[in-house]
Amino acid sequence: MAEDQQHGVVFPADAQGRRSTTAVGRAVVADALRPVDPVGAGAVERETAWRSEYVPWFRRLVEAGLATPDGAVDIARAGLDSLHERMRVRSGPETGAADLPLREWPQPPATGGRLEVRGTGERVEELVLPHRGDRLRGDDLRRQVDRWVEAGVVEPTVAEALAEVQAHPEWLRLEGHTVAVVGAGSEMGPLQALSRWGARIAAVDLPRKAVWDRVSATAREGAGHLVAPVTDGQPGADLLAEVPALADWLGEQPGTLVVGNYVYADGATNVRVSVAVDELSRRLLAGRGDVALAFLATPTDVFAVPADAVDHATRAYEHRSRLAKTVGRPLRTVTGGRLLRRPYAPGSDPGVVDSLVPQQGPNYALAKRLQRWRATVARHDGVTVSMNVAPPTRTRSVVKNRALAAAYAGAHRFGVEVFDPSTSHVLMAALLVHDLHTGGGPRHEHPWQDEAYAAAHGGLWRAPYAPRSALGLAALLGAGAARS
């Protein structure tokens, strides 16, 4: 990255001034493993091809924490500590600006005002889910969710959570809360749904006119109350550079403050902005006693899954069509077992599903794992946390990645359903509402069980094939559809 772009949260510079994402990523994963798997930590430190061989180590981070709940928490806490110790904040874009530890981030003078938008639309007072041109409510919505459960597209606990929201439509407004939607312009964020339900929203995104024209229009069309910081006359804030000011501003918001992380950026910037949100969350948690956290977990990651999901996938594999069996055997033989293989050893409890997509890169994996680590530690420390696995979705960031777009276009042939953004964002907003009204949902013995609760994984956990062993073929079959 060019030096004039290096501002705010940055990777540390070495003696030659280089900012290596590889060195940091490898070191953080090693530090995270060290409390429970020192052998694995040493192997990570000796990995010389991190960019191409990172996938097994992110799986090991999950597997190493399965033995005990404390082990999973120790991994998460060590990973967070390592990132916060290693990352730096650059005090200014000018040549010679100092790199400081995050904890020494200088406090800026108070500036700017705020944008305030009150919706003029009629409040939506029941859960309505857009789906393939329909607007599902009541029994129609329940039947669709039941179909997803039966097909293995979502976990059965999604149906339980949505049924509670349907039974309590008054929950939708989130009375007594302010939801900080960090990444307000995100396609997967809850801005539109919360606005329609009448919630109070503190919106944070970059000070870009196109973004705020869209955010403001969404707020006006809704029935809620949106506030946002203003910088130099323009709504928005640069999260990479303005965490202390944002922490002060959000710290003054009324009601229970929900810090919702919906940010995304390409490449190394994704790690930088994710660390910035985490530092913002850490400061708010330290300064207020009524902060909740919210995240969307990517389905293209590694998760422990319940025995019921393993059994579902095992049955799907054993009862696949005669054609699939005929084609699958030679493909597995020719590829050394890499294609169309079983997702789990039958009877695994829990199973481990590995849906990492290597093309997304180690920076994406680290940014998303950071969020899961924070959710694990915060929940362990008694904070209300909403973290739900979101379904594969045709967002702009996916469609612009040709390989992933093609894989999504062909995924239905292998038992995976890819959602439209209009469906995903309402579904995930409803699960957020459920979690905020139930103390973060049911408490489980092990953190992996918290992550598995109400997971809307699109079928990746219950499909007949290990995800990576099928997605390559899905990309070949879906290439034409993706281009069109």
Side-chain angles (χ1 to χ4, degrees), residues 384-418:
T384 296
V385 174
S386 174
M387 197 208 74
N388 301 108
V389 177
T393 304
R394 298 179 187 89
T395 60
R396 288 186 294 270
S397 63
V398 166
V399 171
K400 73 180 183 181
N401 183 318
R402 292 183 179 181
L404 200 52
Y408 276 14
H412 65 281
R413 300 174 185 269
F414 299 95
V416 176
E417 181 170 337
V418 179

Side-chain angles (χ1 to χ4, degrees), residues 29 266 280:
V29 172
D266 291 329
L280 175 64

Side-chain angles (χ1 to χ4, degrees), residues 3-270:
E3 186 65 23
D4 61 358
Q5 294 177 295
Q6 293 288 294
H7 70 287
V9 178
V10 294
F11 285 84
D14 63 16
Q16 287 73 44
R18 296 186 297 259
R19 301 184 186 274
S20 172
T21 62
T22 292
V24 170
R26 183 171 51 212
V28 168
V29 172
D31 288 343
L33 280 173
R34 206 175 320 277
V36 298
D37 183 8
V39 173
V44 169
E45 290 175 322
R46 294 188 296 272
E47 177 60 69
T48 59
W50 183 249
R51 288 186 178 276
S52 59
E53 299 298 330
Y54 73 93
V55 169
W57 303 115
F58 277 85
R59 178 180 178 123
R60 190 154 178 167
L61 284 168
V62 172
E63 293 176 326
L66 290 180
T68 66
D70 287 345
V73 175
D74 288 345
I75 287 171
R77 203 180 296 277
L80 290 173
D81 289 347
S82 181
L83 258 176
H84 279 264
E85 286 297 318
R86 293 177 185 279
M87 296 297 284
R88 292 289 182 266
V89 58
R90 188 168 174 80
S91 60
E94 67 276 2
T95 301
D99 283 5
L100 303 172
L102 295 181
R103 63 180 176 274
E104 296 178 15
W105 202 324
Q107 185 72 21
T111 59
R114 76 174 188 176
L115 169 73
E116 189 164 359
V117 181
R118 292 188 181 271
T120 59
E122 185 175 347
R123 185 163 67 90
V124 176
E125 298 186 354
E126 66 174 324
L127 181 57
V128 181
L129 185 69
H131 182 252
R132 298 180 178 176
D134 292 329
R135 296 180 63 78
L136 305 178
R137 51 169 51 87
D139 289 341
D140 289 338
L141 173 54
R142 281 187 282 272
R143 282 190 287 268
Q144 178 56 55
V145 176
D146 288 343
R147 284 192 288 269
W148 280 333
V149 170
E150 184 178 359
V153 172
V154 303
E155 291 304 286
T157 43
V158 170
E160 297 174 10
L162 293 181
E164 285 196 79
V165 175
Q166 284 187 287
H168 297 279
E170 71 279 5
W171 285 1
L172 294 173
R173 191 172 184 176
L174 287 175
E175 192 74 40
H177 295 75
T178 293
V179 183
V181 181
V182 184
S186 165
E187 280 186 274
M188 287 292 289
L191 176 70
Q192 186 179 66
L194 295 182
S195 295
R196 289 176 174 173
W197 296 337
R200 189 179 194 280
I201 299 163
V204 177
D205 212 317
L206 288 168
R208 293 176 179 169
K209 184 177 184 303
V211 171
W212 286 97
D213 285 349
R214 188 171 71 250
V215 168
S216 298
T218 297
R220 280 193 298 272
E221 292 165 4
H225 179 196
L226 180 142
V227 294
V230 172
T231 304
D232 297 329
Q234 170 66 49
D238 182 355
L239 183 64
L240 285 174
E242 299 181 53
V243 162
L246 283 170
D248 285 350
W249 182 73
L250 288 173
E252 297 172 353
Q253 299 303 314
T256 298
L257 179 65
V258 183
V259 183
N261 184 345
Y262 305 100
V263 300
Y264 172 78
D266 291 329
T269 306
N270 201 22

Side-chain angles (χ1 to χ4, degrees), residues 173-446:
R173 191 172 184 176
L174 287 175
E175 192 74 40
H177 295 75
T178 293
V179 183
V181 181
V182 184
S186 165
E187 280 186 274
M188 287 292 289
L191 176 70
Q192 186 179 66
L194 295 182
S195 295
R196 289 176 174 173
W197 296 337
R200 189 179 194 280
I201 299 163
V204 177
D205 212 317
L206 288 168
R208 293 176 179 169
K209 184 177 184 303
V211 171
W212 286 97
D213 285 349
R214 188 171 71 250
V215 168
S216 298
T218 297
R220 280 193 298 272
E221 292 165 4
H225 179 196
L226 180 142
V227 294
V230 172
T231 304
D232 297 329
Q234 170 66 49
D238 182 355
L239 183 64
L240 285 174
E242 299 181 53
V243 162
L246 283 170
D248 285 350
W249 182 73
L250 288 173
E252 297 172 353
Q253 299 303 314
T256 298
L257 179 65
V258 183
V259 183
N261 184 345
Y262 305 100
V263 300
Y264 172 78
D266 291 329
T269 306
N270 201 22
V271 178
R272 295 170 61 207
V273 74
S274 294
V275 170
V277 179
D278 197 66
E279 176 65 11
L280 175 64
S281 302
R282 189 194 64 76
R283 290 177 179 226
L284 288 166
L285 286 168
R288 291 181 55 153
D290 60 346
V291 174
L293 302 181
F295 308 89
L296 295 180
T298 176
T300 54
D301 204 340
V302 182
F303 294 93
V305 306
D308 178 60
V310 173
D311 292 344
H312 188 125
T314 299
R315 291 193 300 272
Y317 183 84
E318 291 173 348
H319 294 101
R320 65 199 187 283
S321 70
R322 180 175 298 179
L323 176 61
K325 292 178 180 178
T326 301
V327 173
R329 290 190 186 100
L331 280 175
R332 285 194 300 277
T333 300
V334 169
T335 62
R338 290 192 298 274
L339 288 183
L340 299 183
R341 56 182 174 81
R342 283 180 179 271
Y344 314 101
S348 299
D349 184 12
V352 175
V353 63
D354 182 352
S355 302
L356 279 165
V357 177
Q359 291 85 349
Q360 290 183 299
N363 289 319
Y364 179 82
L366 181 60
K368 298 308 291 185
R369 194 60 60 92
L370 161 63
Q371 296 173 19
R372 289 172 62 185
W373 286 340
R374 178 57 67 190
T376 294
V377 169
R379 189 181 286 114
H380 179 267
D381 292 344
V383 176
T384 296
V385 174
S386 174
M387 197 208 74
N388 301 108
V389 177
T393 304
R394 298 179 187 89
T395 60
R396 288 186 294 270
S397 63
V398 166
V399 171
K400 73 180 183 181
N401 183 318
R402 292 183 179 181
L404 200 52
Y408 276 14
H412 65 281
R413 300 174 185 269
F414 299 95
V416 176
E417 181 170 337
V418 179
F419 284 46
D420 290 327
S422 60
T423 302
S424 287
H425 89 259
V426 176
L427 173 65
M428 303 316 294
L431 294 176
L432 168 65
V433 165
H434 168 269
D435 294 343
L436 293 177
H437 283 285
T438 58
R443 294 292 176 126
H444 299 92
E445 181 181 356
H446 199 289

